[in-house]
Amino acid sequence: MSAARQHLDDNLLIHRYLADRGLAALDASDEAPLRHLAHCAACEARYQAVRAAFDETRDAAVADAEAACAVDRMERQRERILRRVDALQSGPRVLPFPAAGQNGHAAPQPRVFRRWVAAAAVAGLLAGLGAGRMVFNGGDARTAANARQQVTPASAPSPRRQTPTIQAQHVEPGLSDEEFLSEIELATAAPRTRELRAIYAFTLEESRDVPRTAGKD
Amino acid sequence: MTGSSGSRVGAPSPPARSDRAGDVSGRSGGPAAANCSEEARRVKAAVLAGQHDEARSAFADLVGSYQRQAMRLALYLLRDAAEADEAVQDTFVKVFTHITSYREDLPFEAWFTRILANTCRDRQKARRRRERWETIGFERTDQTGSAVDLAQAPGLNPEDELLGNERRRYLMSAIDTLPRRQRDILLLCHVEGQSPREVGEMTGLTESTVRVHLFRALRKLRTALEAGRVSR
């Protein structure tokens, strides 16, 4: 079989296609294949199929690109380009702070006003602290002096924990320790405190005279 | 100022896509390219003369004339509409900033495309760096094969539109299977219609290397499409 009768392979068909598009040059060695293509219907059909496939791909790519070049998109792009060029000419731009930008001329007034309010609040706080200190220090001194006069040191561990007026009603100034303990026993045995005995037995130590203890025995 | 030039963008001259992609020879020296170069010269002259309003007006015209093509190029290189949008903006701002260094004896298109390609390359690097730090569960929205939301084609019934969009996604996903360099060259040469020499200038490769990459890209694309046809 001679070379002229052999069918063309895909490489030659692609080369021919590129030459038809002006993207490749044919040389002398391509003469024989081109002659074959002119006389072989099968190869011509294959070439037309190759050409159609490539052309279809090109059309698809063109359509794909054209879809991105819509008129409104081009318009927006052009406006942005020109705005950037204008910005180059006018130099850097200072962006206003968002809060101040909404009401720029009114911004200094609230700032001064806020400063006055803050200063007044601080002054009021200091005055209140000073006055409170003077009032409560004087009261404490008088209360402590009264307590020292009315309560014995043994029955009152600290002046603050005692209520001088109540103590003055029940405790006699001249009681001894023994008498004071007797007074406590009498107080706990009183009818009003009997209900508390169960709680006392349950929470603290048991007393011998509690009826519950006697029942246990 | 914006209003006067807004009408220009509102009715942009539609890019002759089919002509452009098919006719490579008339690309660089076409009237649009000459127009861009003329507008660039106007911008440069106005900037050098210190006429800000005139420079801005001329630059607005330049943006309107060239932004669509710039957007397509950026989209081919970045495959993400939002990134391409930002790359185009950055490129135009760079162009305005460095317009005084534009050499008027050279076509504006080549100068601009070089800046755009560098900007896109920087963004690609930044994106790859960012993706390395992204969590595994996060998926990019552009991995479906299409760089943008598919636009509704007027005049098609819903079924045809659906089939068309499906076919387009399939073809774009086939392109996305190519290695990055081959894919970029395929999109720039085969789709956008840039010559191998221009793509070589843009990417820093030699013209013959671009041709080799283009050939390999088409061969892989052919294989991928064949495999997809069989599996379907």
Side-chain angles (χ1 to χ4, degrees):
Chain A
M1 187 181 284
S2 67
R5 293 177 67 89
Q6 285 179 349
H7 289 302
L8 302 181
D9 63 0
D10 276 357
N11 288 348
L12 280 170
L13 295 179
I14 292 169
H15 191 59
R16 168 69 195 273
Y17 175 76
L18 286 173
D20 283 354
R21 293 280 318 278
L23 297 169
L26 294 172
D27 53 19
S29 62
D30 298 322
E31 287 296 320
L34 289 179
R35 277 202 303 273
H36 172 87
L37 194 61
H39 296 98
C40 177
C43 286
E44 176 62 22
R46 281 178 58 225
Y47 175 68
Q48 291 303 330
V50 166
R51 187 185 180 99
F54 288 157
D55 286 349
E56 189 187 13
T57 309
R58 188 187 66 200
D59 292 343
V62 168
D64 198 48
E66 282 298 314
C69 300
V71 173
D72 56 339
R73 186 184 198 123
M74 293 294 99
E75 178 77 23
R76 282 197 305 272
Q77 185 188 69
R78 185 167 169 276
E79 283 174 5
R80 280 197 297 268
I81 291 167
L82 294 177
R83 217 179 302 140
R84 286 176 64 178
V85 167
D86 289 341
L88 285 176
Q89 298 284 329
S90 59
R93 192 161 59 100
V94 178
L95 296 176
F97 192 71
Q102 292 176 353
N103 193 8
H105 63 279
Q109 268 187 340
R111 189 181 293 174
V112 172
F113 179 71
R114 277 191 215 112
R115 282 182 182 168
W116 275 107
V117 168
V122 169
L125 181 65
L126 291 174
L129 280 174
R133 196 173 183 82
M134 280 172 57
V135 169
F136 286 108
N137 279 354
D140 280 352
R142 278 196 301 274
T143 306
N146 289 340
R148 251 182 258 115
Q149 285 176 356
Q150 292 173 357
V151 181
T152 59
S155 63
S158 86
R160 279 176 186 272
R161 290 173 66 186
Q162 275 193 336
T163 310
T165 51
I166 294 172
Q167 290 291 331
Q169 287 175 1
H170 296 284
V171 181
E172 294 295 330
L175 286 179
S176 66
D177 290 348
E178 192 61 36
E179 286 171 335
F180 178 71
L181 289 172
S182 298
E183 287 288 336
I184 292 176
E185 280 179 6
L186 283 172
T188 54
R192 280 183 298 179
T193 55
R194 228 172 248 161
E195 293 83 0
L196 298 175
R197 283 185 183 175
I199 298 173
Y200 183 80
F202 182 74
T203 56
L204 299 172
E205 58 185 8
E206 289 186 343
S207 172
R208 283 178 195 164
D209 57 346
V210 172
R212 208 169 141 244
T213 309
K216 266 185 184 177
D217 293 336
Chain B
M1 196 175 285
T2 311
S4 63
S5 50
S7 59
R8 198 187 157 79
V9 174
S13 57
R17 291 296 321 153
S18 55
D19 297 340
R20 217 183 141 67
D23 179 21
V24 180
S25 58
R27 215 182 139 278
S28 294
N35 193 30
C36 284
S37 296
E38 179 56 36
E39 285 165 348
R41 279 187 210 106
R42 273 178 53 211
V43 175
K44 182 179 176 179
V47 167
L48 288 174
Q51 299 168 336
H52 173 61
D53 290 344
E54 175 63 26
R56 189 189 186 281
S57 174
F59 186 69
D61 292 344
L62 181 67
V63 172
S65 299
Y66 203 66
Q67 71 174 138
R68 185 172 283 265
Q69 189 184 343
M71 184 68 184
R72 280 200 311 269
L73 283 171
L75 198 57
Y76 294 145
L77 291 172
L78 292 170
R79 304 293 303 132
D80 182 281
E83 288 245 24
D85 194 355
E86 290 182 18
V88 169
Q89 288 182 44
D90 291 349
T91 304
F92 272 112
V93 172
K94 284 178 191 171
V95 163
F96 187 82
T97 310
H98 299 100
I99 193 70
T100 50
S101 61
Y102 164 58
R103 281 176 54 188
E104 296 175 33
D105 55 328
L106 296 176
F108 170 76
E109 198 178 14
W111 186 63
F112 180 90
T113 308
R114 192 68 185 255
I115 298 173
L116 179 64
N118 287 336
T119 306
C120 290
R121 203 174 298 142
D122 290 344
R123 283 195 163 266
Q124 279 175 334
K125 283 181 192 169
R127 186 165 66 185
R128 280 198 292 272
R129 210 178 303 129
R130 202 167 55 236
E131 283 172 355
R132 275 201 293 272
W133 291 97
E134 277 177 353
T135 55
I136 295 168
F138 180 77
E139 291 181 1
R140 293 181 62 80
T141 53
D142 63 339
Q143 286 180 342
T144 54
S146 177
V148 292
D149 294 334
L150 296 172
Q152 189 172 6
L156 286 179
N157 66 49
E159 189 179 0
D160 289 344
E161 188 187 320
L162 193 68
L163 289 173
N165 286 342
E166 183 68 22
R167 178 72 180 161
R168 212 165 100 193
R169 277 201 193 92
Y170 163 68
L171 293 171
M172 291 309 294
S173 65
I175 291 176
D176 282 340
T177 60
L178 300 174
R180 188 177 60 84
R181 179 161 287 176
Q182 289 181 15
R183 186 194 65 200
D184 291 351
I185 289 173
L186 177 87
L187 287 168
L188 292 171
C189 284
H190 175 57
V191 177
E192 182 59 19
Q194 304 251 353
S195 71
R197 184 180 55 80
E198 287 170 328
V199 174
E201 287 175 359
M202 196 190 303
T203 57
L205 301 172
T206 63
E207 187 178 341
S208 59
T209 307
V210 171
R211 287 184 196 278
V212 170
H213 279 305
L214 177 61
F215 180 82
R216 288 178 183 168
L218 282 176
R219 197 170 56 188
K220 278 189 186 166
L221 184 63
R222 164 91 173 142
T223 307
L225 292 175
E226 282 291 304
R229 194 167 62 89
V230 171
S231 66
R232 286 185 161 205

